[in-house]
């Protein structure tokens, strides 16, 4: 999996820190500066847990990791203490956003993709189907579960706390669940989950699920039938035949009664009443529409009348104001307070327009008053007429409703009288006929359900036979894959080579490495030596040796993963490779290990991203022409600030 870490954005209470990464990034400096926290926060964004230091307890808010997975750029945002992450991916301006659990699945969160947690999402955007392994290694019938990104990250993130105390959870003292998962990861890298095995596992899962669905569905149907008193298909068919005979008798009796019942002329009366009722309904609708139309006219004219009255009042107020102001001698402008210029006689001193004559003003006022009063009177008369018409229509409407109720009552009464003789004699038989037909229909459906049960059980038996065949084929495919020791021999060679190049004390060119295909724990034995005299992670004499032993095995795993095209993310974070090793007292080991990493970064692991964290920085040899992004960090020096740039404390 081509996995690139590009930036880590950390939100603190008083600042936001953006940490850049290159293909090789090196963070070094004094303890307490937050170097290891960088690696822990990357892991936190990828679903890991986070132990908060005192500084982070006080200041940390959230983290966002920008990654590129097989060409898809994605931001994973996780708030402090949250069990969920927010993933944003896609082209700029057309991004997709998804809230999903960091670790614990709660159902599909991205429709049609089987994505339930962050690990599934990473595999989804990478376009990779994660390998499936048996949940229980002791049962061939165990359910198949997907390997998680978290399982792979044991080989991608060597954290400071466990770099010298745990060997990828493979040791016998490790948690059993983690140990089995770690072995599954190595099987996938070694090619034991090759394409043929993956296809058979997928087919086995599909057939097993289908078989269980068929069998459980058949059992549920049979239990349902039994609970309803239906025990067998033969018994049900006998009941259907008996009920059929009873139904024939009832139908004959109904036919006989239909000939005996005498009909009266009542239908003619009912028909005429129905005609009258329909006509009344039409009249009622027409009256209602007329009332609505008149009310609308009343509202419109009333509004018009009120508008005219309002305009008349406004005009009178304006007229009064004009009379009041006509005798005022303005010397200054009432708006801007500037002195007004001299005006000719008959011209307004304020607006410079000819003043109307008194005679003209009186004529205009009288004319407007008469016109307004005339219109008001006309509208008032119209409204009075409309209101009178509405009252008449309401009376007519009430009369029509009363007549309609009377006609409906007569129809009901006549129909009762019309049907009474017929219903009294035939209703019971009709009810019985309906009951028998329903019973026969239900029993016929039960017969079909019995057939369905038999078909599903037969199909389940066929699938069980197919499942056994697939299981045998899968077993043979796994054995064949594990017999191919080519990759495990490569792993042994790479591991020994890296131990020697790293200068691990006590390891010789003549030694041999053996990696067990069952435990995958590497043992280093002297050539021709006693089987008891072997070196393993657990019996190494110092913590420094354990660190180098584990780092070299991880490098070998990454190289093999490149060759087998495994799903292992191609980044490696090593936090404190010189833990328990003095860079000055063990300068050769310090340089030899870093030279090994730098050399691999330019050759066999040229596409792998390295993030190194340690006390001291070791520069690559100039001949390698290798760029390393470095950051020197101290807890108190502003020139080389800590992770939380403003924080000074524990």
């Amino acid at each position: 999996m081509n996995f690139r870490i590009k930036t880590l954005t950390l939100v603190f209470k008083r600042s936001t820190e953006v940490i850049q990464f290159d293909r090789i990034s090196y963070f070094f400096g004094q303890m307490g500066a937050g170097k290891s926290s960088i690696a822990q926060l990357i892991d936190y964004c990828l679903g890991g847990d986070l132990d908060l230091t005192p500084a982070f307890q006080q200041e940390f808010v959230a983290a966002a990791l920008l990654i590129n997975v097989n060409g898809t750029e994605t931001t994973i945002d996780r708030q402090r203490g949250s069990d969920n992450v927010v993933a944003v991916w896609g082209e700029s301006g057309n991004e997709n956003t998804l809230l999903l659990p960091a670790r614990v699945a709660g159902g599909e969160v991205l429709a049609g993709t089987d994505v339930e947690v962050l690990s599934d999402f990473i595999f989804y955007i990478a376009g990779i189907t994660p390998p499936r392994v048996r949940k229980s290694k002791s049962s061939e019938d165990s359910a198949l579960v997907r390997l998680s990104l978290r399982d792979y990250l044991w080989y991608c993130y060597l954290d400071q706390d466990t770099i010298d105390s745990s060997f990828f959870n493979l040791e016998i003292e490790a948690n059993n669940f983690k140990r089995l998962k770690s072995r599954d990861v190595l099987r996938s890298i070694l090619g034991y989950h090759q394409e043929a095995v993956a296809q058979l596992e997928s087919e086995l899962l599909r057939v097993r699920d289908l078989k269980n669905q068929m069998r459980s569905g058949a059992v549920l149907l049979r239990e349902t039938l039994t609970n309803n008193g239906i025990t067998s298909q033969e018994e049900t068919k006998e009941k259907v035949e008996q009920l059929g005979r009873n139904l024939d008798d009832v139908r004959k009796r109904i036919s006989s009664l239909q000939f005996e019942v005498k009909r009266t002329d009542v239908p003619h009366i009912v028909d005429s009443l129905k005609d009258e009722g329909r006509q009344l309904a039409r009249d009622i609708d027409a009256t209602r529409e007329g009332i609505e139309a008149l009310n609308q006219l009343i509202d419109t004219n009333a509004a018009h009348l009120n508008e005219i009255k309002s305009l008349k009042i406004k005009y009178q107020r304006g007229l009064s104001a004009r009379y009041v102001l006509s005798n005022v001698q303005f010397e200054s402008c009432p708006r801007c307070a500037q002195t007004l210029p001299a005006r000719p006689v008959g011209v307004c001193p304020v607006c410079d327009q000819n003043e109307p004559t008194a005679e003209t003003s009186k004529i205009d006022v009288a004319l407007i008053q008469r016109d307004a009063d005339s219109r008001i009177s006309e509208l008032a008369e119209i409204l009075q007429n409309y209101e009178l018409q509405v009252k008449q229509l309401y009376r007519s409407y009430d009369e029509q409703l009363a007549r309609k109720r009377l006609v409906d009552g007569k129809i009901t009464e006549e129909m009762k009288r019309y049907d009474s003789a017929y219903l009294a004699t035939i209703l019971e038989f009709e009810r019985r006929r309906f009951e028998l037909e329903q019973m026969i229909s239900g029993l016929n459906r039960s017969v079909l359900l019995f057939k369905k049960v038999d078909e599903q059980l037969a199909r389940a038996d066929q699938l069980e036979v197919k499942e056994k065949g697939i299981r045998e084929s899968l077993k043979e495919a796994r054995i064949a894959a594990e017999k191919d020791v080519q990759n495990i021999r490569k792993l042994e060679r790479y591991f020994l080579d890296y131990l020697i190049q790293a200068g691990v004390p006590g390891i010789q060119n003549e030694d041999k490495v053996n990696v067990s295909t069952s435990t995958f724990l590497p043992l280093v034995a002297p050539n021709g030596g006693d089987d008891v005299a072997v070196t393993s992670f657990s019996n190494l004499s110092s913590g420094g040796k354990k660190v180098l032993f584990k780092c070299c095995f991880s490098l070998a795993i990454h190289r093999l993963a490149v060759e087998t095209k495994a799903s292992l993310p191609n980044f490696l974070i090593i936090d404190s490779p010189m833990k328990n090793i003095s860079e000055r007292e063990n300068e050769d080991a310090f340089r030899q290990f870093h030279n090994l990493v730098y050399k691999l970064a330019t050759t066999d692991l040229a596409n792998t991203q390295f993030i190194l964290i340690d006390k001291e920085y070791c520069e690559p040899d100039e001949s390698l022409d290798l760029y390393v992004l470095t950051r020197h960090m101290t807890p108190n020096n502003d020139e080389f600030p800590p992770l939380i740039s403003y924080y000074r404390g524990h």
Side-chain angles (χ1 to χ4, degrees):
M1 184 190 298
N2 191 9
F3 197 114
R4 279 289 175 274
I5 299 170
K6 304 189 75 174
T7 63
L8 175 66
T9 302
L10 304 177
V11 180
F12 299 107
K13 290 181 179 178
R14 293 168 49 194
S15 71
T16 297
E17 310 285 346
V18 180
I19 302 166
Q20 303 287 340
F21 297 91
D22 212 303
R23 197 175 73 80
I24 304 177
S25 305
Y26 208 123
F27 301 90
F28 68 98
Q30 300 175 13
M31 63 180 177
K35 304 184 302 296
S36 294
S37 295
I38 294 173
Q40 292 170 7
L41 287 161
I42 292 173
D43 187 58
Y44 180 66
C45 288
L46 295 176
D49 297 324
L50 181 63
D51 294 327
L52 297 175
T53 64
F56 271 67
Q57 291 176 27
Q58 296 179 52
E59 305 298 327
F60 178 59
V61 177
L65 186 68
L66 176 61
I67 59 177
N68 188 297
V69 181
N70 284 2
T72 300
E73 199 158 280
T74 303
T75 300
I76 301 171
D77 191 302
R78 189 173 182 186
Q79 299 292 308
R80 172 178 172 175
S82 175
D83 293 328
N84 297 315
V85 300
V86 176
V88 181
W89 76 104
E91 297 180 0
S92 178
N94 193 29
E95 295 91 348
N96 303 293
T97 302
L98 179 67
L99 174 69
L100 70 164
R103 296 279 284 275
V104 181
E108 191 176 69
V109 294
L110 192 60
T113 63
D114 289 334
V115 171
E116 297 183 359
V117 294
L118 176 60
S119 170
D120 302 333
F121 173 75
I122 296 294
F123 278 105
Y124 166 72
I125 62 173
I128 297 173
T129 301
R132 291 182 178 271
V133 297
R134 294 198 308 275
K135 187 174 184 180
S136 170
K137 302 300 184 287
S138 60
S139 172
E140 287 290 334
D141 293 328
S142 174
L144 296 175
V145 295
R146 287 171 285 193
L147 277 179
S148 167
L149 177 71
R150 300 298 311 167
D151 305 328
Y152 282 101
L153 289 184
W154 291 330
Y155 294 87
C156 298
Y157 171 35
L158 311 186
D159 65 283
Q160 184 185 52
D161 292 339
T162 64
I163 196 169
D164 61 347
S165 60
S166 173
F167 194 74
F168 306 104
N169 296 303
L170 290 171
E171 64 273 16
I172 193 66
E173 298 84 6
N175 174 277
N176 184 59
F177 176 77
K178 290 183 177 180
R179 183 171 63 252
L180 295 176
K181 273 300 190 73
S182 187
R183 291 176 183 174
D184 285 329
V185 170
L186 287 177
R187 287 190 181 94
S188 73
I189 294 172
L190 288 163
Y192 292 175
H193 287 103
Q194 55 187 247
E195 186 176 355
V197 173
Q199 288 178 350
L200 286 169
E201 286 177 340
S202 178
E203 180 65 10
L204 177 62
L205 180 65
R206 187 189 68 80
V207 170
R208 182 184 297 163
D209 288 346
L210 185 57
K211 178 200 72 175
N212 292 337
Q213 289 174 13
M214 290 288 182
R215 188 152 287 163
S216 61
V219 170
L220 182 61
L221 275 175
R222 180 171 286 171
E223 289 178 354
T224 302
L225 291 169
T226 302
N227 292 338
N228 285 277
I230 304 170
T231 55
S232 70
Q233 188 172 342
E234 291 73 18
E235 181 182 344
T236 303
K237 287 181 178 179
E238 290 179 3
K239 288 182 179 179
V240 169
E241 291 175 0
Q242 180 60 46
L243 290 172
R245 290 191 289 270
N246 295 342
L247 180 60
D248 289 339
D249 293 341
V250 170
R251 285 172 175 167
K252 289 177 182 178
R253 182 57 180 157
I254 290 173
S255 297
S256 174
L257 287 171
Q258 287 174 342
F259 284 106
E260 294 173 4
V261 174
K262 301 294 184 179
R263 299 289 180 166
T264 66
D265 292 334
V266 175
H268 299 295
I269 300 173
V270 172
D271 290 342
S272 63
L273 288 172
K274 287 182 177 179
D275 290 340
E276 185 180 356
R278 283 191 287 268
Q279 183 58 47
L280 283 169
R282 288 192 290 269
D283 293 342
I284 289 170
D285 288 340
T287 303
R288 188 187 300 114
E289 291 175 1
I291 291 171
E292 291 174 356
L294 282 172
N295 282 330
Q296 188 174 0
L297 288 172
I298 289 171
D299 292 341
T300 302
N301 283 279
H304 192 190
L305 177 61
N306 292 331
E307 185 180 355
I308 292 173
K309 288 180 178 179
S310 176
L311 289 172
K312 181 181 176 182
I313 293 170
K314 290 179 181 178
Y315 178 76
Q316 289 174 342
R317 289 176 179 172
L319 190 62
S320 298
R322 193 175 76 181
Y323 288 152
V324 169
L325 296 174
S326 62
N327 294 320
V328 175
Q329 298 299 320
F330 287 97
E331 296 178 354
S332 300
C333 178
R335 183 175 184 274
C336 65
Q338 296 184 73
T339 303
L340 293 170
R343 306 287 191 191
V345 177
V347 175
C348 176
V350 177
C351 68
D352 196 23
Q353 296 184 74
N354 292 330
E355 292 184 344
T357 63
E359 190 66 28
T360 302
S361 298
K362 289 180 181 179
I363 293 172
D364 290 344
V365 170
L367 181 61
I368 291 171
Q369 291 281 10
R370 284 197 303 272
D371 184 62
D373 291 340
S374 173
R375 186 58 181 155
I376 290 170
S377 175
E378 180 183 343
L379 286 173
E381 184 179 353
I382 290 172
L383 285 172
Q384 186 178 4
N385 291 333
Y386 282 160
E387 287 170 356
L388 180 61
Q389 292 178 43
V390 166
K391 289 180 181 179
Q392 291 174 350
L393 284 174
Y394 270 120
R395 283 196 296 271
S396 177
Y397 183 72
D398 292 340
E399 291 173 359
Q400 289 168 345
L401 284 177
R403 179 59 184 168
K404 182 70 169 58
R405 285 193 289 270
L406 179 62
V407 170
D408 289 343
K410 286 184 177 181
I411 291 173
T412 303
E413 182 181 350
E414 292 296 336
M415 287 299 296
K416 286 181 179 178
R417 188 167 62 84
Y418 168 73
D419 288 333
S420 60
Y422 179 73
L423 290 176
T425 55
I426 205 169
L427 185 60
E428 179 62 27
F429 287 100
E430 288 287 355
R431 185 186 62 79
R432 179 60 179 162
R433 178 185 64 80
F434 178 76
E435 289 178 352
L436 289 170
E437 288 175 345
Q438 291 297 309
M439 291 172 67
I440 291 171
S441 176
L443 290 172
N444 283 331
R445 285 195 297 271
S446 299
V447 171
L448 294 176
L449 290 177
F450 272 114
K451 291 181 179 179
K452 186 69 173 177
V453 168
D454 294 340
E455 290 173 0
Q456 289 194 192
L457 289 175
R459 177 61 177 154
D461 292 339
Q462 294 173 356
L463 290 170
E464 186 169 6
V465 173
K466 185 175 181 179
E467 180 188 358
K468 289 179 180 178
I470 295 173
R471 191 181 294 118
E472 288 298 321
S473 299
L474 180 58
K475 185 177 181 181
E476 293 172 2
R478 284 174 177 158
I479 293 172
E482 294 185 10
K483 281 183 178 178
D484 183 1
V485 296
Q486 180 180 359
N487 288 333
I488 206 163
R489 294 293 171 260
K490 285 183 179 181
L491 178 62
E492 292 169 349
R493 290 198 304 272
Y494 298 158
F495 181 42
L496 179 60
D497 183 30
Y498 298 161
L499 288 173
I500 294 169
Q501 290 190 55
V504 178
I507 306 298
Q508 306 294 327
N509 287 324
E510 297 79 15
D511 292 345
K512 288 189 176 181
V513 172
N514 177 262
V515 177
S516 167
T517 56
S518 57
T519 66
F520 296 105
L521 286 169
L523 303 176
V524 183
N527 188 19
D530 192 333
D531 290 343
V532 178
V534 295
T535 300
S536 66
F537 180 80
S538 61
N539 67 13
L540 284 168
S541 57
S542 74
K545 287 183 180 180
K546 287 187 174 184
V547 172
L548 293 176
F549 196 86
K550 184 173 182 178
C551 289
C552 289
F553 191 77
S554 179
L555 290 168
I557 286 294
H558 274 266
R559 179 175 174 183
L560 184 63
V562 171
E563 297 180 6
T564 61
K565 296 181 174 57
S567 299
L568 182 71
N570 63 341
F571 73 88
L572 181 57
I573 302 173
I574 305 178
D575 186 359
S576 304
M578 293 294 110
K579 183 180 181 181
N580 305 314
I581 302 173
S582 170
E583 292 83 352
R584 293 173 178 79
E585 296 295 330
N586 299 279
E587 184 178 354
D588 288 343
F590 174 64
R591 293 196 174 278
Q592 283 179 273
F593 174 76
H594 285 90
N595 287 339
L596 168 64
V597 173
Y598 294 146
K599 180 182 175 182
L600 288 172
T602 60
T603 55
D604 298 309
L605 297 180
N607 290 321
T608 298
Q609 184 179 23
F610 291 91
I611 299 174
L612 303 175
I613 300 170
D614 217 328
K615 304 184 293 294
E616 299 286 344
Y617 170 55
C618 182
E619 292 188 25
D621 191 281
E622 291 183 1
S623 63
L624 294 175
D625 191 24
L626 188 66
Y627 173 73
V628 179
L629 176 66
T630 62
R631 177 173 173 179
H632 187 188
M633 301 171 67
T634 62
N636 298 305
N637 190 334
D638 291 339
E639 184 179 359
F640 306 110
L643 183 59
I644 309 176
S645 58
Y646 63 84
Y647 184 83
R648 301 291 183 272
H650 298 291

